[in-house]
Amino acid sequence: QVQLVESGGGLVQAGGSLRLSCAASGRTFRMYAMGWFRQAPGKEREFVAAISGSGLTASYADSMKGRFTISRDNAKNTLYLQMNTLKPEDTAVYYCAARDSTWGTDELKGYPYWGQGTQVTVSS
């Protein structure tokens, strides 16, 4: 089992940047594919990005391509999400998630382990 703690959220103006972090417990972090999801008020949780256990393969939701970058440092047991050119519609609680596979997926149900989330608010 892995425990996840997100950090790095906050208030930023449109066009700005934020980097989210997700610290994972355990010694086998590299064995988990990781994902970022987000949930805006009144909306369903949606896929943002995923990365393989090795960090060599990543995938993104179409609306995030070119603006967001997912990465990981397996030596530090940490997952990242660099978010650039932020828009007000990016406002949401952002969650990191882990799955018992070295390959990521964009499906919510593929991730049994979740963090508590971190709020990102983008002002116009």
Side-chain angles (χ1 to χ4, degrees), residues 15-117:
S17 299
L18 277 177
R19 188 176 82 156
L20 305 183
S21 299
C22 173
S25 65
R27 296 175 294 175
T28 58
F29 180 61
R30 68 186 183 280
M31 300 302 293
Y32 294 92
M34 302 294 295
W36 284 102
F37 292 79
R38 70 184 186 184
Q39 188 165 19
K43 295 187 177 181
E44 294 185 351
R45 195 169 298 189
E46 65 173 350
F47 171 73
V48 173
I51 190 167
S52 62
S54 67
L56 295 179
T57 303
S59 61
Y60 298 88
D62 287 343
S63 62
M64 287 72 161
K65 287 180 180 177
R67 299 191 300 124
F68 292 7
T69 302
I70 189 172
S71 62
R72 64 192 296 162
D73 185 336
N74 286 345
K76 295 182 178 179
N77 282 15
T78 304
L79 173 74
Y80 303 100
L81 183 69
Q82 177 67 43
M83 305 186 294
N84 298 327
T85 318
L86 283 161
K87 305 174 182 179
E89 51 263 44
D90 293 318
T91 295
V93 177
Y94 283 72
Y95 299 89
C96 68
R99 66 192 304 258
D100 297 297
S101 170
T102 55
W103 295 103
T105 178
D106 59 359
E107 296 186 5
L108 231 74
K109 61 184 180 182
Y111 294 87
Y113 311 111
W114 292 82
Q116 83 290 349

Side-chain angles (χ1 to χ4, degrees), residues 10-16 18 86-91 120-124:
L11 174 64
V12 63
Q13 289 187 334
L18 277 177
L86 283 161
K87 305 174 182 179
E89 51 263 44
D90 293 318
T91 295
V120 171
T121 302
V122 184
S123 63
S124 57

